[in-house]
Amino acid sequence: MTLLTLLLTCMITAGTPLMDVWKSGQDAWRWPLGPPAPQVVRTFSPPASPWGPGHRGVDLAGRPGQPVYAAGPGRIAYADRLAGRGVVAIDHGTLRTTYLPVRPSVGVGRRVTSGTRIGTLEDGRHCPAPCLHWGLLRGSLYLDPLHLVRSQIRLLPHWERPAPSHSEHAPEPAPEPRTALRDATTATGGALTGMALAFTLAFVWRRTRVRFRLHRRRRPPPGVINLSQERRLRRTP
């Protein structure tokens, strides 16, 4: 029972996305602000073209001076001011996360884990109220960073199964029973015996009928004189 409980626990843990929010491991993805989880004041809106308008990240509600943490393990790729705002970028292998406006507290090249403090939130003009702009890229492609911390549930459409047509899966005809060799021999012998008996009865019946007719011819009807027979009798000495 203990082993079964352990297996179920492992399956539930494996089924939970790696973007579970406040998981205690150092390799888990987490929100860059909090806990508690911050409010999303503006969602991701990718541009139709690399130079087109859009919102290349999400805006999280915060307050000036609030600590900003690394969303996942990686290496600091950029930590400086850019266009008058503090920017921090972290490489996570194939992914890269960006945070602004942030006053950096880490240097370029430093290895960080999930939850490492990388700076404090500044009072910028990106949102009407103080917020953290959090971005996610794979190469030059912008992605929605909320996918790192929110489980994605996709519902598939329900298709009704079509009714099976008469042409499909037509029942195969039952195989004809095969007569065994012994049964065939018995049937053949019975047929020959029956034919022989029929021929014998027909032959006997025909001979009997012929004899009956001859017998009737030899006996003339009453009152009739057979002249041929009378002549033969009178010629006899």
Side-chain angles (χ1 to χ4, degrees):
M1 193 66 184
T2 305
L3 180 60
L4 179 60
T5 305
L6 180 60
L7 290 176
L8 289 176
T9 304
C10 294
M11 292 175 63
I12 295 173
T13 305
T16 305
L18 57 85
M19 38 281 202
D20 196 0
V21 187
W22 306 121
K23 192 182 294 185
S24 58
Q26 295 181 348
D27 294 337
W29 294 100
R30 55 154 292 162
W31 292 94
L33 298 178
Q39 178 186 0
V40 179
V41 295
R42 188 177 179 185
T43 58
F44 177 67
S45 178
S49 59
W51 55 85
H55 192 231
R56 298 167 174 82
V58 295
D59 292 338
L60 307 178
R63 65 183 185 276
Q66 183 177 356
V68 180
Y69 304 97
R75 184 182 62 85
I76 302 297
Y78 186 87
D80 205 343
R81 303 199 67 82
L82 180 65
R85 297 176 298 183
V87 178
V88 176
I90 304 176
D91 281 338
H92 309 276
T94 58
L95 299 177
R96 184 170 70 256
T97 54
T98 58
Y99 313 78
L100 63 96
V102 175
R103 181 179 294 109
S105 60
V106 290
V108 176
R110 177 182 170 181
R111 291 284 179 178
V112 295
T113 60
S114 178
T116 300
R117 181 169 177 171
I118 59 175
T120 56
L121 183 62
E122 294 181 333
D123 188 5
R125 292 176 297 177
H126 182 74
C127 304
C131 71
L132 173 70
H133 180 80
W134 183 30
L136 174 66
L137 297 93
R138 178 183 288 118
S140 59
L141 178 64
Y142 286 91
L143 305 174
D144 188 356
L146 293 182
H147 291 169
L148 299 175
V149 293
R150 287 182 177 176
S151 58
Q152 300 298 310
I153 300 177
R154 298 182 180 180
L155 300 179
L156 297 178
H158 175 71
W159 291 287
E160 295 183 359
R161 299 182 59 183
S165 59
H166 297 286
S167 60
E168 297 180 356
H169 306 290
E172 298 181 358
E176 298 182 357
R178 297 182 178 179
T179 306
L181 180 60
R182 184 176 180 180
D183 296 341
T185 305
T186 304
T188 304
L192 293 177
T193 303
M195 292 175 62
L197 182 61
F199 279 119
T200 303
L201 292 176
F203 179 74
V204 172
W205 168 253
R206 188 172 182 180
R207 291 292 301 272
T208 303
R209 190 175 181 183
V210 170
R211 288 182 179 180
F212 179 74
R213 287 182 179 180
L214 292 176
H215 182 68
R216 289 187 61 183
R217 289 177 182 178
R218 290 175 182 176
R219 296 179 57 185
V224 177
I225 300 175
N226 191 346
L227 296 179
S228 299
Q229 186 177 3
E230 293 293 331
R231 289 193 189 98
R232 287 196 300 270
L233 292 176
R234 288 179 183 181
R235 289 176 184 174
T236 302

